[in-house]
Amino acid sequence: MADPIDVTGGTDGITARCDELRAFAGQLARAATELGGAAFQLHGFAIDPGIALSGALDPHDLVCFQGDLLDALDGPGGLSWSAAALSTLGVELRAAADTYEL
């Protein structure tokens, strides 16, 4: 694991390791892409024909499964939400690095 990001300040101004901020932003972007891809693939299970067919035997369980899956993916703190949050944080870190350099 990389050294923690270090930003210090004082009467002499702010010193930031912008290259490390950008590297960490890149890691967050890659993680967001992976999470988003996983969420996209997992959404397919909500409409999977095999699962829907088995749901004919127990429609209540099918609806519960679909609801739980969609909640885990798209609900508060779900996989899709987490991917968006990581992506946003990566953009904010890149912007912070640009701002520090200005």
Side-chain angles (χ1 to χ4, degrees):
M1 178 173 231
D3 292 334
I5 295 170
D6 181 31
V7 177
T8 57
T11 58
D12 293 330
I14 295 174
T15 302
R17 294 190 285 220
C18 295
D19 57 330
E20 290 183 14
L21 286 173
R22 287 192 182 93
F24 188 56
Q27 290 174 340
L28 290 174
R30 286 186 292 280
T33 299
E34 288 183 28
L35 283 178
F40 180 78
Q41 288 181 336
L42 288 168
H43 275 94
F45 286 106
I47 57 170
D48 181 85
I51 293 173
L53 183 60
S54 68
L57 300 173
D58 193 344
H60 178 265
D61 278 353
L62 175 63
V63 170
C64 288
F65 164 75
Q66 289 171 327
D68 289 344
L69 177 62
L70 293 175
D71 186 48
L73 295 174
D74 302 325
L79 203 56
S80 299
W81 183 90
S82 297
L86 287 175
S87 181
T88 299
L89 182 56
V91 169
E92 290 171 348
L93 280 177
R94 275 189 173 66
D98 291 344
T99 301
Y100 289 142
E101 285 183 339
L102 288 175

